Amino acid sequence: MSEVPAYKTAFLQACLSANVLTFGTYTLKSGRKSPYFFNAGSFHTSALLSAISTAYAHTIMSFLSSHPSIPKPDIIFGPAYKGIPLACCTLLELHRLSPQTYTSTSYSFNRKEAKSHGEGGGIVGAPLAGKSVLVIDDVITAGTAMRETIDLVSKEGGHIVGFVVAVDRAEKMPGPREKEEGIDDGEPRMSAMGQIRREYGLQTTSIVTLDDLIAVLRDKGDEGDIERLEVYRRKYKASD
């Protein structure tokens, strides 16, 4: 495996030291038992916001550099609620790293309920109509929230050029019996991110993947945690 970039390593180390990323046994919405859990809601200190916004900014710059056909976004969009501070902080960091490139880039986020007074509407920040929009969020599980965001941006007249999440679990979608009975049928399936790419033709990326986490833990992680992560990866690795 190639060396993990420094910004990914710094991000994971910040997550581990602040217990944003923890190990144990966690039940996901799918009913699947996971040996690790990432809680983006814990990024509430200035130091952690700096760590995650720096990682997002470097990820976005790398993403755009490796996909030259994708236009520079006019807007960084953060879906309510966790995406709101992520979009705002990341835009500030992008401007700090490359002010000439991002001086005119805006942020936007949605209201959970449209406002009927004042300026009204369901969008706060820059209007989306006619704009290239890069969506930033914490994680993707089943892809439901991502589809809702795609519909929302489309209805507002915006054009999504990509999705960026903090952690791509890179695991297959659950089978029909998994949530109710906890039984994995062993059949290969795409990840939620993979399904979004195929269904909508959108490019996606993440700060880190499970592979990155395992690679970083090899240097100073607990051997038991590493083994449980590797077993989980072998069992649930997505076909894409």
Side-chain angles (χ1 to χ4, degrees):
M1 181 180 294
S2 59
E3 185 176 351
V4 179
Y7 73 88
K8 291 176 180 275
T9 300
F11 170 71
L12 284 171
Q13 289 174 342
C15 291
L16 292 167
S17 63
N19 290 321
V20 173
L21 182 60
T22 54
F23 304 101
T25 301
Y26 305 93
T27 302
L28 306 180
K29 288 181 180 179
S30 64
R32 189 173 291 169
K33 304 294 185 183
S34 171
Y36 72 105
F37 185 72
F38 175 79
N39 181 15
S42 296
F43 280 93
H44 49 67
T45 68
S46 56
L48 287 172
L49 275 176
S50 177
I52 196 169
S53 62
T54 297
Y56 269 121
H58 281 287
T59 300
I60 289 168
M61 293 172 72
S62 175
F63 173 67
L64 294 176
S65 176
S66 61
H67 295 83
S69 63
I70 296 178
K72 180 186 77 67
D74 301 310
I75 295 171
I76 306 296
F77 184 84
Y81 289 105
K82 288 183 181 179
I84 296 173
L86 300 179
C88 296
C89 291
T90 298
L91 180 56
L92 285 173
E93 183 63 16
L94 284 167
H95 183 265
R96 187 189 72 82
L97 291 172
S98 185
Q100 291 184 329
T101 303
Y102 293 98
T103 188
S104 61
T105 306
S106 300
Y107 75 83
S108 288
F109 59 89
N110 61 300
R111 293 187 174 98
K112 287 289 189 177
E113 296 181 1
K115 188 177 179 182
S116 59
H117 60 281
E119 76 278 17
I123 299 295
V124 179
L128 304 181
K131 302 297 184 180
S132 297
V133 180
L134 183 67
V135 179
I136 185 171
D137 212 345
D138 56 348
V139 295
I140 176 174
T141 49
T144 304
M146 196 173 273
R147 288 179 173 85
E148 291 174 351
T149 299
I150 292 170
D151 291 342
L152 184 153
V153 172
S154 177
K155 288 177 181 177
E156 292 288 334
H159 171 63
I160 294 180
V161 297
F163 270 90
V164 185
V165 298
V167 179
D168 179 4
R169 297 179 64 92
E171 61 188 68
K172 66 181 183 178
M173 294 291 290
R177 299 178 63 190
E178 196 164 344
K179 187 167 186 177
E180 297 298 326
E181 303 174 56
I183 298 174
D184 172 41
D185 57 17
E187 293 296 320
R189 291 186 182 84
M190 298 182 74
S191 67
M193 292 273 274
Q195 288 185 340
I196 291 294
R197 287 191 292 267
R198 183 178 67 178
E199 188 175 339
Y200 294 96
L202 292 172
Q203 294 293 336
T204 66
T205 191
S206 63
I207 299 175
V208 294
T209 66
L210 178 56
D211 290 345
D212 296 322
L213 172 58
I214 291 173
V216 168
L217 286 178
R218 288 194 192 285
D219 289 336
K220 54 181 180 180
D222 178 88
E223 288 297 327
D225 289 334
I226 295 171
E227 175 60 25
R228 284 186 288 272
L229 289 172
E230 289 181 327
V231 169
Y232 187 83
R233 179 173 60 178
R234 286 194 296 269
K235 184 174 183 178
Y236 294 114
K237 187 176 179 61
S239 59
D240 52 300

